[in-house]
Amino acid sequence: MPRKFGEIAFTPEVQAAQSDRGSRQTYERYIANGDSGDTITPKIADFIAQLDGFYLGTVGSNGYPYIQFRGGPVGFLKVLDEKNLGFADFSGNVQYISVGNLSGNDKAFLFLMDYRHRKRIKIWGRASYLEGESELLEKLRVKDYPAPIERAMLFQVEAISENCPQHIPIRYSEAEVAAMIAPLQARIAELEKSEMV
């Protein structure tokens, strides 16, 4: 288990809950023997490159968390280096809750899900944004994607944790289902054509 994850997630209150329920010693050993878990490995970068969406968490000045789904074409969340991710922030519902929250508190969280392969990765860090044209925005721009871009979002990684697949349901996107049934549809069309002859 990654050390940095434990440092962030296992607050004194969490440690007390673990102690009360008998899991604290186990987690202390995992954390003591784990790697730092604060860099984007090639394996994690490959996982990120396959995503077409993720959840972004920020914290409001009132202390409440705010979670929002961010979607786009596959690969729009980009690995900039082993410590930084970025994405083009497309126009949305113009509530600007994430942007407003980041103006007061840059702590943020990414929840990355791959339902098809039953895998999830959690990333803690600090987020910032840059509005207007910039070199960063050009790096994050998605070629041939027509959605208007409002800003470049940058996420600096502080801790990463990969979870076990238990209880993750298998789900497929519309595009994945279409790809899976295309050979079947082609075979049906071929059979129907041969019956007409």
Side-chain angles (χ1 to χ4, degrees):
M1 181 166 286
R3 284 194 312 276
K4 295 291 185 177
F5 159 70
E7 290 172 12
I8 291 173
F10 297 164
T11 62
E13 295 80 9
V14 171
Q15 290 179 29
Q18 291 171 344
S19 294
D20 291 347
R21 292 158 180 84
S23 66
R24 181 73 203 133
Q25 286 183 325
T26 300
Y27 282 115
E28 281 180 345
R29 280 195 305 274
Y30 283 148
I31 298 298
N33 296 322
D35 62 9
S36 64
D38 62 350
T39 59
I40 301 163
T41 64
K43 179 181 156 192
I44 292 172
D46 288 343
F47 174 80
I48 290 170
Q50 303 304 311
L51 296 176
D52 63 358
F54 58 91
Y55 297 91
L56 170 66
T58 58
V59 182
S61 60
N62 57 8
Y64 282 97
Y66 180 71
I67 310 295
Q68 186 176 46
F69 181 78
R70 298 298 174 108
V74 170
F76 84 100
L77 177 61
K78 299 184 184 302
V79 176
L80 302 173
D81 58 44
E82 68 178 14
K83 291 283 195 180
N84 292 286
L85 298 165
F87 62 95
D89 192 20
F90 306 118
S91 293
N93 61 16
V94 298
Q95 291 180 348
Y96 302 114
I97 298 172
S98 297
V99 169
N101 287 349
L102 291 174
S103 297
N105 184 344
D106 68 349
K107 289 182 181 175
F109 182 79
L110 297 178
F111 191 78
L112 313 178
M113 283 294 299
D114 177 352
Y115 289 101
R116 180 179 181 188
H117 298 103
R118 300 180 70 224
K119 185 171 181 171
R120 64 183 160 214
I121 295 178
K122 298 181 283 192
I123 306 177
W124 287 261
R126 298 192 180 261
S128 60
Y129 59 89
L130 183 60
E131 295 185 319
E133 294 298 316
S134 66
E135 187 177 315
L136 176 60
L137 185 62
E138 284 309 308
K139 281 185 186 177
L140 302 177
R141 191 176 301 280
V142 178
K143 186 179 178 189
D144 299 327
Y145 191 63
I149 299 171
E150 291 195 348
R151 68 196 51 81
M153 298 288 280
L154 184 64
F155 190 94
Q156 185 176 20
V157 174
E158 291 188 353
I160 299 173
S161 176
E162 297 182 57
N163 281 104
C164 72
Q166 186 177 12
H167 304 299
I168 299 175
I170 297 174
R171 294 189 176 139
Y172 297 96
S173 70
E174 184 179 353
E176 290 167 333
V177 171
M180 287 187 282
I181 66 171
L184 301 173
Q185 290 174 324
R187 180 67 178 140
I188 290 168
E190 181 183 304
L191 292 171
E192 287 174 345
K193 186 177 178 182
S194 68
E195 283 181 6
M196 292 180 190
V197 174

